[in-house]
Amino acid sequence: MTLSSTDRTRHRRLKENGRTDRADLLEILRAGFVCHLGVIVDGTPMVVPTVYGFDATSLYFHGSVASRSLTGSTEVCVTVTHVDGLVIARSVFEHSVNYHSAMIYGVPRPLAGAEKLEALRILSEHCAPGQWGYARQPSRKELAASVIFDLSLEEASVKISSGGPEDAGTGDDLLPDGSYRWAGVIPVSPAWGAPVPDAALPEGIDAPEHLIRFGRNRNQGMVIDHGGT
Ligand SMILES: Cc1cc2nc3c(=O)[nH]c(=O)nc-3n(C[C@H](O)[C@H](O)[C@H](O)COP(=O)(O)OP(=O)(O)OC[C@H]3O[C@@H](n4cnc5c(N)ncnc54)[C@H](O)[C@@H]3O)c2cc1C
């Protein structure tokens, strides 16, 4: 399955980093849970970090009914970014970042009723797997106070940048002391820790198995290309 190419999602600059395989989009969404929601509010661009969930066709994001950025029925652009490393080049100009990133355009649709509850479940299970069945269910008041949107994955693009610096042999890299300037990649990857209990918990309450597994599973999540380093 390939991503649809529209006038907006067609890669122009650094085209070689563009990907059209839908599997890359889903992998990027699977590996994260925070997106940046870009929306125009009262004529001003606003970029709001927020959590998300997704399924094969949609991205879901939610918030308070009072949120100014969550009014729906207006064009948005959502990005999800994973930084894989810092590319240290010989020249300051050639420094760059290795990354996996996705961009999704569309008009989000507010959900209601059974669709709203199912989208909340998907979002919750994506962010904290196992908690939908373990934690207290949302009350009617909590549901009424929150909105959740369905943003179609129909118009999306992916860019992946990997590898090392590209300025070998383009300048004089001999330093005054006779050594060569170093170049390469400094990899970075997220690391989850073990669950830390709330101070208000009674003594001897252990974290459930799904939360103990959580960090381990996430740490093993995405195969990241560190440019052969
Ligand atoms: C962590 C990080 C740091 C970056 N730092 C820089 C930087 O310092 N300078 C710089 O020039 N670029 C940087 N980039 C790349 C940047 O995101 C753009 O891809 C690039 O600048 C091209 O922008 P453009 O507006 O010319 O895109 P165009 O090629 O004109 O964009 C056309 C379409 O391609 C798609 N697209 C573009 N960029 C992305 C993307 N990153 N992910 C998914 N889809 C995309 C969108 O659908 C967009 O509408 C960085 C990317 C990441 C993830």
Side-chain angles (χ1 to χ4, degrees), residues 8-13 81 99 101 103 105 157 159:
R8 288 195 290 203
T9 58
R10 190 165 47 78
H11 297 283
R12 294 174 179 85
R13 223 158 56 76
T81 309
Y99 62 81
S101 80
M103 216 180 264
Y105 293 97
S157 62
K159 254 185 166 175

Side-chain angles (χ1 to χ4, degrees), residues 173-181:
D173 291 309
L174 199 56
L175 293 169
D177 68 1
S179 65
Y180 278 94
R181 277 195 185 87

